[in-house]
Amino acid sequence: MIERAFVGRAPELAALTATFTGPDAPWLLLVEGPAGIGKSRLVARFAHAAPCRVFSVTGAEDAGSQPGYLADDLVEQLTDARGGIDLRVATTGLGAGPGGHVSPVDDAEIGGSGADVLADAGFARRMRRALGAVETLLVVDDAQWADAESVRLLAFLIRNRPAGGFRLLLAFRDGGCPAPITRLLRVPHVRSAHIRVPPFGEAEVDGLLPGEDPRRRARLLSASHGNPLYLSLLAELPDQELDRALRGENPDPASNDYAALDRTIRAELAQLPDTERSVAQAIAVCGVPPDLELLCTTVDLPAATVADALDRLVVRGVVCASDGAVAFVHPLIRTAAHRLAGQGWLAMAHRRAALALRARDAPMPARAGQLEHALLGRDEVAGAELRAAAEQVLADAPASAARWLALAHRIAPSATDPLADAVRLGRALLLAGAAERAAEALDPAAAKPGPHQMEALLLSARCARMLGRVDHARTLLAVAATLPRRVGDGPVQLELAILALQDHQDAEGHARLNALFGSAEIEDPAVRAAATALRCLGFVADGQIGTAADLYPECHQAFENLTDADFREVVHAIPALGWCAYFLDHDRDGLVHLDRAIRVSHRFGRSYALAELQTVRAYSLAKLGRLDAAITAADDATDAATTFYYPDLLAFAGAVKLRTLQLTAPTDTATAQWHTVAALPRPAMRWWRQVVDTTLTETARTLGLPPPAAQVPGLIPDAPDVPPLDVRPGPLHPTHLARAAHAAIADGDLTMAADLATRATTAARSQALATRGSAATSQTGDRSLGSQVGAAALARADYAVAVGDLDTAAASAEEAIAAFTRAGMVVNRAQAELVAGIVAGRSGDFGQATSRFASARAVFAAAGAQRLLAETTTAQRTLAGSQPVAATTLTRREREVAELAAQGHTNKDIAAHLYLSPRTVEDHLGRVLRKLGLTGRAGIARKLDELDGPVSAHRG
């Protein structure tokens, strides 16, 4: 486990520290809290800063049977202290007194050992004198494990407090204060302070895990119940294993991510007495909070023995009992207890639990959860139970359903309808994200005519699409389309349409959707919502932007109206809705649907959809300028595509991360990502492939890399290094033309740039006219595609700057600013403001230029766009170097303020010196900076020297 920083605990630390404030302060300090809450860390931090010598001993459960072992440890430390040993470097790691040394103690004075406490009362008195020689803090950690003889010594020291300001600190688990000491708390002269260590809150978790995503930190806080130990263990797990842990499932057998858990929680459980450990393991086997009868059957022990063991487990903080049920205090302990048991013991325990649940006619999923671990042989009854349970949980937990179906097929293969079993297993595996295994299971049913062929073909095609086998998916769906229409084949038509539209087969896609809208299947709300989104995406891809804009509100509302249960059935169609929102500048709406789809996919085990959902989300986040979040989403997409083998999305998700890193990361990081994406196979989907190739070509230019070997043919002849463009006027056509224009300007080909900028403007205005005339946008003002209008306007401004047409450049930059604002694209808007600032500077309006640069800089800094921030700095320096300075630039008062600021005085100092208000000084200083073309005080002295000219030279 990674060692975390000491955070929080300020009130508790202050309460302990306050005990050194005077002679009447508490001197018996009790620190209580559950296991893992951080008692030892708190005590160590307090003891390290204690202004006295410190001794520390620690209780251990496996040493509890050794008489006086804590007292023996203390004797050894007192003996070692002879000769002035510095306890700060001793094994306790705690503190020493003033000067770093302790008083020597004569071995003869202490004498004996802790075991002699019962036999020699003089031993306790000698210990008292030794501890009272100088001011001393004695720390006893894990006091709940203290042996009886050592407790008697501690009780003696409490009744007879050693001299010299002796303090005793006992740290123990909830309810673990030794009874003899608890009774002494009522003695009048025993001044005590009881510190209960509370769970962490949000602030402490933020300090403990500063690098975590805020949403994951919040999830970890909730899952850990604020316990620092559980928090640290959970934080080290990847998301997939974290989900398993929080559901109380055993970890993936192939995973090594539970090593820290094994070293901590399992190690403690292993020390439990045999009966208690067996009962804890049986509770883990039972899963849901068991009743006493089920628990006794599972562990195969009498009720009285089990009840006694439960009492001891509650005292130890392993389980809790409330509302008539017993459960582990945290799912991690349940996982550790289950993993601690041997496989043979587990098999017998699960078998006993399964038989008990069958006898009481318990729900099928509860029985199946036991049967899958019971080492079953041929068993028809168990096979039927497993199939029934799988059917019940398929929608919510497809991975469990797949395991149970596979086991049922092994122990009781169907003799009457084996193809039905194959389809059930294939469906479960696909929903759980195991596309390769699902395809293998479905092959027999997909190849054989019969009642299961249609569904098998549909599911097989979805597997093939996920695996990048587009031609095979198309072949399978073509076969399905020739089969007789049947009730319930709406999903087949949806799959055909999705595949066709993704591969730019628009006519085929529209035909599939038209057939679906003409069938009774469209009455299903989920099917209608998905089909409407696909139709909208088809219009977008076909360049019918106005029609798509009219249809989008209906798409949005259709999915809004779905319950989560309906939503999960068409979660694979949500990417189409997300792309519609992306292309039509409804990105915020799209993110709402995408986030819901991701939640639903996690909740109902629809793992197969996560890679594509996170990819669309990454593109939308990047467009809105949420660059860090976009990189995180791209990484999540890559993880899901790798885990569930969705190879087409690896390069597609990698492309958006590359574009984002180009803005936010050092060049070597972006270059490494470029090589990663370039080395990946291109997606089979033509649209995705075009995005990847375009991204690689454009970023190669910026990074100084050669263009990638394979490119999609572009629109520009004889210019192989120009970004490839889509030959169809799709929704991003203006942006593609605008990017090519910027590239031509960078190459100095202004003739080509003029043509591309003009074509981008024409395409964007055509889209704007289409959307302005749509019924949906006429009621909400100008909802033209700001993303495309802004891209074209920015290219036009860039070209106008290059040819010196500053009026056109200024107007175009303003148009880009307004358009990007409309689209919510904050980083692109700031880029347009940067151009506007450059134009203003060249026009001599240095105040306007400074204001534009400051606005752009603030956005780039907030978004983490370091490359654009550097471009802004360069533009500011260029402006400052080119700005003429006249001797009459500053007023007398401004000159006075400037000179004092140049000397390093604060605004408050300047105000006092000139008898002005701080606000007036701030106003004067702002005008000084604008007039001098500066963004901060650092350059004022140099500019004043330039103002003075020969005078300053003479002074020098």
Side-chain angles (χ1 to χ4, degrees), residues 168-187:
L168 173 62
L169 187 153
L170 304 177
F172 48 84
R173 294 183 183 179
D174 285 344
C177 185
I181 294 176
T182 301
R183 289 192 292 269
L184 288 174
L185 297 179
R186 296 190 294 268
V187 175

Side-chain angles (χ1 to χ4, degrees), residues 35 66 117 124 169 238 246 312 366 419 507 625 696 711 759 791 802 817 890 936:
Q66 301 175 26
V117 174
L169 187 153
L246 298 185
R312 292 196 295 273
L419 294 182
L696 286 171
Q711 294 188 42
R759 290 163 61 189
I817 290 170
L890 303 180

Side-chain angles (χ1 to χ4, degrees), residues 138-384:
L138 172 58
V139 174
V140 182
D141 199 5
D142 278 335
Q144 71 275 1
W145 307 130
D147 62 281
E149 289 77 5
S150 296
V151 169
R152 290 190 62 180
L153 171 63
L154 294 173
F156 173 84
L157 294 174
I158 293 172
R159 289 194 305 270
N160 305 276
R161 182 188 183 188
F166 173 79
R167 286 170 178 79
L168 173 62
L169 187 153
L170 304 177
F172 48 84
R173 294 183 183 179
D174 285 344
C177 185
I181 294 176
T182 301
R183 289 192 292 269
L184 288 174
L185 297 179
R186 296 190 294 268
V187 175
H189 77 275
V190 177
R191 294 186 297 278
S192 63
H194 190 170
I195 310 297
R196 178 163 183 81
V197 185
F200 272 179
E202 291 183 6
E204 290 85 2
V205 176
D206 292 350
L208 189 69
L209 306 171
E212 289 283 2
D213 176 77
R215 290 180 301 176
R216 192 171 194 265
R217 273 205 306 262
R219 186 181 182 208
L220 289 168
L221 172 59
S222 174
S224 67
H225 312 314
N227 185 295
L229 172 62
Y230 301 147
L231 188 66
S232 298
L233 290 170
L234 292 169
E236 293 176 24
L237 296 178
D239 285 340
Q240 186 177 3
E241 287 298 315
L242 176 61
D243 292 340
R244 295 175 71 105
L246 298 185
R247 290 194 299 265
E249 297 177 6
N250 292 327
D252 185 339
S255 170
N256 292 321
D257 295 311
Y258 275 71
L261 183 147
D262 288 347
R263 289 195 306 269
T264 52
I265 301 177
R266 282 183 69 191
E268 180 163 333
L269 293 178
Q271 297 179 25
L272 293 173
D274 289 346
T275 302
E276 293 171 40
R277 185 171 65 252
S278 296
V279 171
Q281 291 168 177
I283 298 171
V285 164
C286 291
V288 296
D291 55 65
L292 187 60
E293 181 183 2
L294 177 60
L295 185 55
C296 291
T297 300
T298 302
V299 73
D300 197 22
L301 288 173
T305 303
V306 172
D308 184 55
L310 280 175
D311 287 341
R312 292 196 295 273
L313 288 172
V314 170
V315 171
R316 293 174 184 273
V318 175
V319 301
C320 58
S322 62
D323 300 325
V326 61
F328 289 101
V329 298
H330 195 275
L332 285 177
I333 301 180
R334 182 264 164 201
T335 303
H338 196 275
R339 284 164 58 84
L340 186 63
Q343 292 303 309
W345 187 95
L346 281 175
M348 292 302 298
H350 280 292
R351 182 183 292 272
R352 289 191 293 267
L355 293 174
L357 291 171
R358 180 183 296 169
R360 61 174 65 177
D361 198 23
M364 290 296 179
R367 298 189 225 178
Q370 302 297 336
L371 290 169
E372 70 171 306
H373 300 293
L375 295 182
L376 298 173
R378 183 82 180 193
D379 191 329
E380 296 292 337
V381 175

